[in-house]
Structure formats: structure tokens, C-alpha cells
Amino acid sequence: MSHFSQIKTQIRNVESLKDALSELGLDWKQGLREVRGYRGQKHNAEITIEQDNGYDIGFRWNGQEYELVADLQYWQQNLTVEGFLRKVTQRYAYHTVVKETARAGFQVAEQQKNEDGSIRLLVQRWSS
């Protein structure tokens, strides 16, 4: 029997989450929607990704962070759940850092993708 799983994340900023999902080429929808699971089971989520098989992936606010909600038996992505979350989390962190540093008056001066997949950012701020 299949059931929904809720996977905790460190994702708290919905704008950076949306940017990350868009950058990864995922077609997502915002607004309280139902995530469809096995035998008509449903959970509400603020961000949903519809899969071709009729079962959805969602990100639901639990009061502290957005957790991934899905019926994992019907996972239909190119990556494993762990790989998917790793990619989303990396792009989320990137967008969060860029936005927060820009808010503080910094801009990205250099960006480097390392062999291990990590990203190195150099930010700078000019003062007068």
C-alpha cells in the first residue's frame, strides 16, 4: 500500500524556491492545491508539480519550512528523491544568497562551478 511521505527541508523562502524550480525546468504551480496520491489520497501544498502519471509532488509550509510531500511509490522524475532534493536545495541556496547579498548592496563578481558540483561565489560591494 502506498502513502504520502513528508520530507523535511531547510527551504523557508518561497521566492527562492520558485526560482530554483524554474531554473531546473520544472513546471510548478503556486497556490493552495491538492497533491494527488494513491487511491485518491490528497494532501494540500502551496507549490505543486504535476507528473505525467497523475501523481503530484508538492512543497507544503509546515510552519517552519517547506517540506516535500509526495507519494514516493509513484515518483516519476529523472533523479531519485534524494538527488532531486539535492538539486533543488542547491539552487534554492544559490538564489537565497544572491538575493540577500544584493539586498545588502553586494553583487556577484565571480561564479565558479567546482568539480564536486558545489558553487563558489565571490561577491563585492563598492563603497564611495
Side-chain angles (χ1 to χ4, degrees), residues 2 9 16 21 23 34-35 40 46 49 51 72 76 79 81-83 86 88 91 105 107 110-111 115 120-121 125 128:
S2 183
T9 70
S16 292
L21 294 174
E23 185 177 330
E34 291 182 333
V35 175
E46 287 78 12
I49 301 164
Q51 299 186 111
L72 299 182
Q76 191 183 43
L79 298 167
V81 176
E82 295 80 15
R86 203 171 20 255
V88 170
R91 299 317 304 162
Q107 52 186 270
E110 186 179 318
Q111 176 177 316
E115 286 183 26
R120 180 182 173 272
L121 290 175
R125 176 170 57 184
S128 50

Side-chain angles (χ1 to χ4, degrees), residues 49-66:
I49 301 164
E50 294 179 356
Q51 299 186 111
D52 292 338
N53 63 3
Y55 301 94
D56 308 317
I57 300 168
F59 286 91
R60 177 178 72 184
W61 182 251
N62 67 11
Q64 297 178 0
E65 64 201 4
Y66 285 91

Side-chain angles (χ1 to χ4, degrees), residues 22-125:
S22 293
E23 185 177 330
L24 293 171
L26 296 165
D27 183 21
W28 54 269
K29 294 178 177 49
Q30 183 177 11
L32 195 59
R33 304 171 83 87
E34 291 182 333
V35 175
R36 302 167 294 170
Y38 179 72
R39 289 197 170 187
Q41 295 176 358
K42 296 178 181 163
H43 273 276
N44 288 329
E46 287 78 12
I47 302 280
T48 55
I49 301 164
E50 294 179 356
Q51 299 186 111
D52 292 338
N53 63 3
Y55 301 94
D56 308 317
I57 300 168
F59 286 91
R60 177 178 72 184
W61 182 251
N62 67 11
Q64 297 178 0
E65 64 201 4
Y66 285 91
E67 60 188 8
L68 183 130
V69 179
D71 190 330
L72 299 182
Q73 182 173 336
Y74 298 100
W75 185 261
Q76 191 183 43
Q77 298 298 307
N78 293 333
L79 298 167
T80 64
V81 176
E82 295 80 15
F84 175 84
L85 278 175
R86 203 171 20 255
K87 284 264 191 204
V88 170
T89 301
Q90 182 188 48
R91 299 317 304 162
Y92 166 81
Y94 171 86
H95 287 287
T96 300
V97 167
V98 169
K99 286 177 187 177
E100 291 301 316
T101 54
R103 189 179 322 217
F106 290 85
Q107 52 186 270
V108 176
E110 186 179 318
Q111 176 177 316
Q112 174 184 336
K113 187 168 184 174
N114 298 321
E115 286 183 26
D116 65 359
S118 65
I119 299 169
R120 180 182 173 272
L121 290 175
L122 175 66
V123 296
Q124 64 185 14
R125 176 170 57 184

